[in-house]
Structures are given as C-alpha cells and as structure tokens.
Amino acid sequence: MTNFYFHNDPSELPSYSKHCHPVQIYNTHQYDKTKYSVASRALLDTVRNLGVQIDTDAIDLITIATAVTAADTFEQRETAADAWSRQMHLHIPVKDNSKWSLLADRLRDILNFLTGDQWKFTFFKSSMAIPKPKTSSKAEEKRDTLKGLNSVCLFSGGLDSAVGAIDILNGNSDYRPLLVSHAYRGDGVKQENIKSLLRSRFGELSYSISPSLKEDLKGKTDTSMRGRSFNFLAMAVLGIVALRNVNDDSKISTIIVPENGYISINPPLTRRRIGSHSTRTTHPYFLNRFESFLNDAGYNVKFINPYQFKTKGEMLAECKDQVAIAKAVPLSVSCSHWHREHIQCGRCVPCLIRRSSVYHAKLTEDADYESTNLQVVYKEREKRDDLQAVQTAIIRLNKSGDYRSWLRQSGSLPSDADIRRKLESTIRRGLREVEVFLKAENL
C-alpha cells in the first residue's frame, strides 16, 4: 500500500520513499520539484477569482478531490499485485476533520466502486487559511456573471456535454447554468469553440487539478483516469456554493450531468473487460451514492442526468438546435486516447459509439480520426481489440437477448422496476446503433 501525504506547507510533508509519496497542494508556499509531487497549484487562485466567498466545507471537498485525483494519477496500475487494483492510503488536511473522519468509510466504498481500487482515508486538521475572494475589477466582473444563475452543468468539451449545453442554452430551459469545465491540456480550445455556439447567457468556471510528479519520477503516471468524475463533481458542488452566496439563495442545488444512458451504464463487452475496460464515471449507482454522501455531509445538492434513458445517437438526433450541434460535432472530443495523442483514434469503444451516433443522427461532418477505415483496423492485431470486443458483444446478445444480466454486470441498479426496464431498453438500443454503423462499414 502506498501512503500519500498531502499538505499545502512542504515543511509538514515527509520525505519520499517507496511506500510514502508526499504531495504539495495549492500555492501558499514555494514549491521544490526535486522533493515533492504537486497538485492544484493554481486552484485557489481560480476560486478567489470568482470574487465571492466560498464556504469552508467546499474548500474541504476540493482538497479531498485534489488528493484523490493526484493519487489516482501518480499510482500506476501495473504496480498492483493484480496489475489493476491499487491500494492507496490518503492522508488529507481538512478544516472539519471530525466530520470527514466519520464519513471516511463511506467515501472509501464509493471510490472503490468508481475506480476499482482499494482506498483508505485519514483526515487531520488543516492549518491553511481559507482563501478570500479577490476584490479586483476583474473579480467583480466575474462575480456579476454568476448573478441570476440557478444551476451548474458539467461541460467537458465532449459531445454529450455539448448537447447538454445546447439543449439548455439554445432551447427553452428554465435552467440558467454555470458551466463547470476541467481543462486538461488541449481541452480548453475545444470547450471555447463549442461555447461560441451557445446563445443564452451562462457562467463559466474552468479549473485544473494539474497533478505533476516530482522531477525524478516524471513519466510514471497512470492514464486510466477512473476517478476523474469525482473531482469534476466536487468542483460542481463548489460552483453551487458560489451561486448560493452570490444570489443569496440556499435553494440552488441542481447539478446537471449530461451523459448518454448507454455509456453511463457502460456494461462490459466481454468477461475479461469487467472492471478494467468498463468505466463507471457517471453510473447511476455511483451518482446516487455520491449524492447521498454529499447531502449527509451537509451540501444539499441534486445530480440530474436528463439523458439517462437516451442513446448517444438519440441525443444528437433530438438536440434542440440541429444547426448548432452539427457545428459542435467536429469540435468535440469523445476518444479515450485523446489526451495521449491529441487526435481521436476512431477505434476505441467511445469512438465507435460516437461514430455510430453521428451515423444514426444522419450528420455529415465529424472530427478527424487516426483510424477512419475500420476494415483496416480489423486486420491490425494491436489496434482491433475494442472493435472485436464490440462485435463479440453484438453476436452474444443477438443470440441470447439477455440484456438484463449484461446490464447488472456493470454495477448495482436502482430498485425501481420501471427504471431498470428503461435502462435495459437504452443499452439495447445503444448497442443496436453500433451494430447498424458497423454493417454500414461492411463489418
């Protein structure tokens, strides 16, 4: 088990060793890259730039999210005994260490489900001063952009989040959202290009955790990013707190998570893909448990996925502004390998679902792909794994028709029988979209 120690003050951190990884967080002290790894170096400035006081509990939550994201990035899966499930013990400074210590076991269980790892948490009293909002004219202008907003919407630069933002801001929605974006390298331009298509007024909060290893460990990071939605949702909660304080309205609570129902469930295509290839970043079981956890911690938020029972193709075809979504498609990113190569591969499962959805919606322009011809991909042993897995699932399920059992393999489902039937129908239709697309590609 690796012990990760987090602190804003480097004098409070232990030295690095094989099983002890010190990480300096925030920018309150000078940073020595030869001694420590680092995360969220600029995050407090991002918060202060909002021009509004942020509650202590919200700072605690993004500190925890910073720690989780850093550990998830720094601990390589290949070092685990089974080359997958890592064991990580996080020591995190928070203001309300008593509350978080009582919630530690629930947090552990939620993250175990989300990432497939074994987490452990120890919380201790933080000595860091709570950041005060800036009083500059720029911060005041930023503060003014939050007035009148009543919700937060996750905005990643992906195709689903583009549909979500367009439906709200180019349609007749009652939501007036703050768009929260996590800006990985290269994502910012994509996000800004899509935002230019939005017609109604919205707020913006773009942030980055930016975990970076100490100098002599560079390059030894994990790329599976299974815990990414945890920090995304934590920052969304901070956005809710900012909106409440600016608008003096404690009832603001809605966090919109736009994700198609098929990829939300993301059932494993083959038995060997259970866990390792099936992400759970917006699985309803995770979202429901995390929402309950947050509310028991006093945050009073509500996660809503308006597309839980829609396929990606249906999201595109039914988008309220077809002109805008047609322009957004080539600007958006869906690929699981995008952050490695900065071009969508065209052959991973997210790319196959994306290409199938574009075909289903009869949209003529898509983004560039490294692999456009899937018949060529099928002949390349090192590139065809995802394609063959999809084909295997299609053949198996066409034969058995047992979508219900397949659905359950991705995790626990809501107890409501009608919701389970709708989820089953959604994944059936989602896989059918891919099947139709592959036949069109002569596969």
Side-chain angles (χ1 to χ4, degrees):
M1 177 177 287
T2 301
N3 283 276
F4 285 91
Y5 292 87
F6 298 89
H7 210 287
N8 64 297
D9 184 348
S11 69
E12 298 292 334
L13 289 170
S15 298
Y16 177 85
S17 66
K18 183 178 180 181
H19 298 294
C20 174
H21 196 140
V23 183
Q24 186 176 341
I25 56 175
Y26 304 139
N27 62 343
T28 60
H29 292 70
Q30 202 165 21
Y31 168 57
D32 186 343
K33 63 183 178 181
T34 65
K35 293 183 177 180
Y36 311 110
S37 296
V38 68
S40 289
R41 190 73 176 153
L43 190 56
L44 291 186
D45 279 339
T46 299
V47 172
R48 295 184 66 223
N49 286 336
L50 290 173
V52 58
Q53 186 64 50
I54 299 298
D55 301 353
T56 300
D57 281 351
I59 300 298
D60 275 355
L61 185 60
I62 63 169
T63 298
I64 295 168
T66 290
V68 168
T69 301
D72 191 30
T73 303
F74 297 154
E75 188 74 357
Q76 293 178 287
R77 290 194 180 276
E78 62 190 42
T79 64
D82 60 357
W84 179 254
S85 185
R86 304 162 296 182
Q87 297 181 30
M88 297 172 286
H89 184 175
L90 277 56
H91 303 258
I92 308 173
V94 289
K95 287 295 184 182
D96 195 345
N97 55 310
S98 296
K99 179 180 78 173
W100 290 109
S101 295
L102 290 173
L103 293 168
D105 287 349
R106 287 178 64 185
L107 180 61
R108 173 201 65 200
D109 293 344
I110 289 169
L111 282 166
N112 286 356
F113 174 81
L114 179 64
T115 71
D117 299 301
Q118 298 175 56
W119 297 83
K120 184 177 180 180
F121 294 91
T122 296
F123 295 102
F124 60 94
K125 188 73 173 178
S126 171
S127 58
M128 185 183 76
I130 295 301
K132 295 181 179 180
K134 292 184 179 180
T135 57
S136 64
S137 58
K138 188 174 182 180
E140 286 295 318
E141 290 174 6
K142 183 70 173 181
R143 187 179 190 276
D144 287 343
T145 67
L146 306 181
K147 292 179 180 178
L149 305 183
N150 64 3
S151 57
V152 166
C153 182
L154 301 189
F155 186 78
S156 65
L159 193 47
D160 287 8
S161 73
V163 172
I166 290 171
D167 278 352
I168 292 171
L169 293 162
N170 294 16
N172 296 312
S173 174
D174 291 330
Y175 291 124
R176 300 181 299 280
L178 170 67
L179 300 184
V180 172
S181 305
H182 188 285
Y184 295 99
R185 186 173 64 89
D187 284 353
V189 173
K190 298 285 184 183
Q191 293 162 0
E192 291 304 313
N193 287 339
I194 296 172
K195 285 176 184 176
S196 70
L197 303 172
L198 304 176
R199 293 204 300 260
S200 299
R201 188 177 77 85
F202 57 90
E204 300 178 68
L205 173 55
S206 181
Y207 74 101
S208 180
I209 302 293
S210 299
S212 181
L213 283 166
K214 63 192 291 281
E215 194 171 50
D216 58 341
L217 298 177
K218 290 293 185 184
K220 298 179 180 180
T221 56
D222 188 78
T223 58
S224 58
M225 296 169 61
R226 293 305 166 94
R228 62 188 179 274
S229 61
F230 184 85
N231 83 58
F232 211 172
L233 292 167
M235 203 65 184
V237 173
L238 184 142
I240 288 288
V241 171
L243 294 184
R244 287 174 182 164
N245 292 347
V246 166
N247 295 287
D248 193 23
D249 186 354
S250 62
K251 294 180 181 179
I252 296 174
S253 60
T254 301
I255 296 173
I256 302 160
V257 185
E259 181 85 270
N260 74 84
Y262 178 91
I263 208 67
S264 170
I265 296 295
N266 201 16
L269 295 168
T270 64
R271 287 186 177 181
R272 71 182 180 87
R273 286 173 169 250
I274 295 176
S276 62
H277 286 76
S278 298
T279 59
R280 294 164 165 172
T281 54
T282 59
H283 193 284
Y285 180 71
F286 164 66
L287 290 179
N288 289 339
R289 289 192 71 188
F290 192 32
E291 179 187 294
S292 176
F293 170 85
L294 289 170
N295 291 336
D296 286 347
Y299 292 96
N300 185 30
V301 294
K302 178 66 177 177
F303 296 144
I304 295 176
N305 180 0
Y307 310 103
Q308 186 66 73
F309 306 120
K310 288 188 179 183
T311 68
K312 200 180 193 81
E314 290 163 355
M315 285 180 69
L316 292 179
E318 298 168 21
C319 182
K320 298 185 185 302
D321 187 337
Q322 286 293 305
V323 173
I325 195 58
K327 293 178 180 178
V329 169
L331 301 175
S332 64
V333 174
S334 304
C335 181
S336 60
H337 303 136
W338 157 254
H339 295 110
R340 303 176 199 176
E341 305 295 337
H342 284 261
I343 183 172
Q344 299 186 87
C345 71
R347 59 184 182 272
C348 66
V349 171
C351 276
L352 293 173
I353 294 172
R354 172 197 172 93
R355 295 176 68 177
S356 302
S357 71
V358 172
Y359 182 82
H360 173 87
K362 298 181 173 59
L363 296 170
T364 57
E365 188 176 359
D366 199 351
D368 292 331
Y369 295 105
E370 180 188 2
S371 299
T372 55
N373 190 328
L374 294 179
Q375 291 184 20
V376 173
V377 171
Y378 192 79
K379 297 174 183 178
E380 299 185 47
R381 184 182 299 272
E382 70 279 6
K383 294 182 178 180
R384 68 188 182 192
D385 187 63
D386 279 14
L387 178 58
Q388 287 188 322
V390 169
Q391 291 178 309
T392 298
I394 290 170
I395 292 169
R396 184 181 76 252
L397 287 155
N398 279 344
K399 184 177 180 180
S400 70
D402 191 6
Y403 286 84
R404 185 169 300 174
S405 295
W406 187 42
L407 183 68
R408 288 196 296 264
Q409 289 177 18
S410 64
S412 299
L413 298 171
S415 57
D416 187 290
D418 184 53
I419 291 177
R420 292 200 302 271
R421 282 193 294 270
K422 288 179 178 178
L423 291 173
E424 181 183 347
S425 175
T426 303
I427 65 162
R428 184 192 297 267
R429 300 193 314 274
L431 193 63
R432 175 61 180 166
E433 282 182 9
V434 181
E435 181 180 10
V436 169
F437 170 67
L438 292 183
K439 284 183 178 178
E441 294 289 301
N442 297 315
L443 285 171

